[in-house]
Amino acid sequence: MKFFVDTADIAAIRELHELGMVDGVTTNPSLILKSGRDIAEVTREICELVPGPISAEVVAADAEGMIREGKHLAQIASNIVVKVPLTWDGLKACRALSDDGHMVNVTLCFSPAQAILAAKAGATFISPFIGRLDDIHLDGMDLIADIREIYDNYGFETEILAASIRSVNHIVEAAKIGADVITAPPSVIKSMANHVLTDKGLEQFNADWAKTGQKIV
Ligand code: G3P
């Protein structure tokens, strides 16, 4: 399973990257806003730091505008993945950009039907949003499972990039189903290390060690 980090926060990306935990990065307009940075500047910096696929999202509503913006974003670095929304125009842009040799991430996917169209349009990645389906009392994980089954039935090569991940359980469940990639905020990835029994065990070891009066170095 590949780990992408869902952020435009350079310091947070660097910390995880130094541990070898970053296979790529995903950004979107909301994350660019949160970073307070210029999109071209921060995206270039991320591309220089991480050699894997870096998703940068277009904002135009029509295919022509998306293609123009996508080509512009792709000039930032060779590892840019153009992110387009799962609309009819987004699918047109996906086909054109993909035919032009660019990697494309089709985002805001909420149904298996949408995921089939993205694969047919040549998407490199499909981004089903788990958390936002859970938010409206649907099961985001069912969507990941459905897409996995359909893509495997027909050998679609589009990678399933599980997005809108809010918890450690989301990551583990997506891994069990066989999502190719997860993208999660740095805080969620870091919280995968936490376990109450680890803390409890460590407390006991430290207490016992103090009683030995020894030092290792
Ligand atoms: O990459 C976009 C996606 O991960 C957004 O997540 O938490 O805003 O639904 P969220």
Side-chain angles (χ1 to χ4, degrees):
M1 164 171 269
K2 284 177 272 190
F3 266 23
F4 287 3
V5 194
D6 202 24
T7 187
D9 179 335
I10 297 284
I13 296 168
R14 184 175 286 116
E15 184 188 8
L16 288 167
H17 182 54
E18 282 169 358
L19 293 175
M21 292 181 183
V22 180
D23 300 302
V25 175
T26 50
T27 64
N28 61 38
S30 305
L31 293 171
I32 296 296
L33 172 69
K34 199 170 166 192
S35 76
R37 304 273 313 270
D38 171 76
I39 183 170
E41 199 183 280
V42 74
T43 305
R44 185 170 298 108
E45 224 173 293
I46 295 170
C47 289
E48 282 166 6
L49 183 62
V50 177
I54 311 299
S55 289
E57 190 160 340
V58 300
V59 293
D62 62 305
E64 203 183 311
M66 288 184 207
I67 294 164
R68 194 171 51 246
E69 289 177 354
K71 286 183 176 174
H72 187 76
L73 289 169
Q75 283 173 358
I76 292 175
S78 58
N79 51 336
I80 284 285
V81 180
V82 180
K83 204 171 176 187
V84 302
L86 214 158
T87 58
W88 195 247
D89 278 81
L91 292 169
K92 284 184 190 171
C94 176
R95 171 48 65 200
L97 290 163
S98 166
D99 284 351
D100 211 30
H102 300 293
M103 292 186 282
V104 183
N105 176 358
V106 180
T107 190
L108 290 166
C109 170
F110 294 97
S111 77
Q114 289 180 316
I116 293 172
L117 290 182
K120 299 293 284 180
T124 317
F125 299 101
I126 181 69
S127 290
F129 275 33
I130 298 170
R132 293 191 195 185
L133 281 169
D134 291 355
D135 286 346
I136 58 163
H137 310 294
L138 293 172
D139 189 343
M141 217 49 73
D142 283 350
L143 176 59
I144 304 293
D146 286 346
I147 300 172
R148 180 75 284 157
E149 183 181 346
I150 293 166
Y151 280 12
D152 287 350
N153 281 347
Y154 297 101
F156 285 131
E157 287 177 4
T158 300
E159 293 192 45
I160 302 173
L161 198 175
S164 185
I165 281 185
R166 311 267 178 79
S167 68
V168 171
N169 278 352
H170 276 160
I171 297 177
V172 174
E173 289 307 311
K176 282 160 71 179
I177 291 166
D180 300 288
V181 192
I182 58 96
T183 188
S187 59
V188 176
I189 292 176
K190 287 176 78 173
S191 67
M192 291 173 78
N194 300 341
H195 199 288
V196 65
L197 291 180
T198 304
D199 296 341
K200 197 175 165 204
L202 199 53
E203 208 177 297
Q204 180 70 58
F205 288 158
N206 286 340
D208 289 344
W209 181 248
K211 288 180 204 160
T212 69
Q214 298 179 43
K215 277 191 175 158
I216 291 178
V217 284

